[in-house]
Amino acid sequence: MQIALQQAHAAKARGEVPVGAVVVDKAGKIIAQAGNETRELNDPTAHAEMLAIRRACKVLTTERLVGCKLYVTLEPCNMCAAAISFARIDKLYYAAQDAKGGAVDNGTRFYHQTTCHHAPEVVGGLNEAEASTLLTEFFAQKRK
Amino acid sequence: MQIALQQAHAAKARGEVPVGAVVVDKAGKIIAQAGNETRELNDPTAHAEMLAIRRACKVLTTERLVGCKLYVTLEPCNMCAAAISFARIDKLYYAAQDAKGGAVDNGTRFYHQTTCHHAPEVVGGLNEAEASTLLTEFFAQKRK
């Protein structure tokens, strides 16, 4: 999660929403990491999780990351929660909760729905304070 | 929708799930089109809608497709429904319903949730029979 947080800080420095994600394989090796790039890429789907998953799949030349874990600094949204499911991620660790846009423990709680066909094990709250402060400060600065 | 169906047929010919999508601008001009490419790209996020949105954003150098319409041959899943929302698509036309994985009129019905911050106008059922037959035949063939 420390590396995901570094990615979140790097995203902030680029003017992106400060969220970072890391994909780790069965052996604990980092396969891919990313921060948000929606602005840089002009791509509304370029959330950190999406980029990390897409990059990991490219590295492993597979569309299923069976046995892999994903660390992300913010509770995944509906889009990312579903992508994590499609990628067959084994375990999801997230830091800050997202009451406004989250889809794991908030909102649609996607992994509990009948239209979800693979649900990762979920651990929320890792390094929550740091991830949450980073986001709160970023949006407070934006509103100035 | 005819062009989206052509993309779905082309996807089938490549061994992909036969779904196609088209993004059209305010003036009715086609900005981007795509069929599923999850296998070809080793990318579980490469659904037709995602690719069409990402390509349209690239063409228009924006992350918001305000005023644009998206035509897709299958009811969008959770991932795509949220991406359509993030891209600020104005109007969504889809063909076949997807009771197992849809997130517009089935499943989470995402556009009716409080964690959805932009909902497109939705028209379902255009060319439903053709799109539905294409998918049914594809999966029947796979099970043989």
Side-chain angles (χ1 to χ4, degrees):
Chain A
M1 189 61 88
Q2 282 305 326
I3 295 160
L5 281 161
Q6 285 169 17
Q7 283 287 348
H9 281 283
K12 184 185 175 188
R14 297 190 308 264
E16 303 276 355
V17 175
V19 178
V22 177
V23 174
V24 173
D25 74 6
K26 282 177 195 174
K29 188 183 160 199
I30 292 175
I31 304 299
Q33 48 182 299
N36 266 8
E37 292 186 38
T38 59
R39 290 186 170 198
E40 228 167 322
L41 300 178
N42 279 319
D43 180 356
T45 75
H47 286 190
E49 303 94 306
M50 301 292 278
L51 296 175
I53 287 171
R54 291 175 53 209
R55 288 171 191 170
C57 286
K58 204 168 182 178
V59 169
L60 301 176
T61 60
T62 174
E63 53 170 313
R64 296 195 171 181
L65 302 170
V66 177
C68 289
K69 296 171 183 174
L70 187 137
Y71 292 82
V72 57
T73 60
L74 181 65
E75 180 186 350
C77 72
N78 232 58
M79 174 178 73
C80 294
I84 288 163
S85 169
F86 292 147
R88 301 290 190 275
I89 291 281
D90 200 46
K91 201 162 176 177
L92 164 67
Y93 297 88
Y94 75 83
Q97 289 237 353
D98 184 3
K100 283 186 188 166
V104 176
D105 291 315
N106 289 283
T108 61
R109 302 180 77 245
F110 180 58
Y111 300 136
H112 298 274
Q113 304 301 325
T114 53
T115 48
C116 172
H117 307 296
H118 166 84
E121 193 183 331
V122 175
V123 179
L126 281 184
N127 303 73
E128 181 161 11
E130 184 179 350
S132 184
T133 303
L134 189 58
L135 282 154
T136 309
E137 286 177 359
F138 177 81
F139 287 112
Q141 191 67 31
K142 285 269 163 199
R143 281 191 292 270
K144 269 184 187 167
Chain B
M1 189 60 85
Q2 281 305 327
I3 296 159
L5 282 162
Q6 285 169 18
Q7 284 287 347
H9 280 282
K12 184 186 175 188
R14 297 190 308 265
E16 302 276 356
V17 175
V19 178
V22 176
V23 173
V24 173
D25 74 5
K26 282 178 195 174
K29 189 184 159 195
I30 291 175
I31 304 299
Q33 49 184 297
N36 265 10
E37 292 186 37
T38 58
R39 291 186 169 198
E40 228 167 322
L41 300 178
N42 278 320
D43 179 355
T45 76
H47 285 189
E49 304 95 306
M50 302 293 277
L51 296 175
I53 286 171
R54 291 176 54 211
R55 287 171 191 171
C57 287
K58 204 166 183 180
V59 169
L60 301 176
T61 59
T62 174
E63 54 169 314
R64 296 196 170 182
L65 301 170
V66 177
C68 289
K69 296 170 183 175
L70 188 137
Y71 292 82
V72 57
T73 60
L74 182 66
E75 180 185 351
C77 72
N78 249 278
M79 175 179 72
C80 295
I84 288 163
S85 169
F86 292 147
R88 301 290 191 274
I89 291 281
D90 200 46
K91 201 163 178 176
L92 164 66
Y93 297 88
Y94 75 83
Q97 290 237 353
D98 184 3
K100 283 186 189 165
V104 176
D105 292 315
N106 288 284
T108 61
R109 300 179 80 243
F110 180 59
Y111 300 136
H112 298 274
Q113 304 301 327
T114 54
T115 48
C116 172
H117 307 297
H118 165 84
E121 193 183 331
V122 176
V123 179
L126 281 183
N127 302 74
E128 183 162 10
E130 185 178 349
S132 184
T133 303
L134 190 57
L135 283 154
T136 310
E137 286 178 358
F138 177 81
F139 287 111
Q141 191 67 30
K142 284 268 163 202
R143 279 191 294 270
K144 269 183 191 170

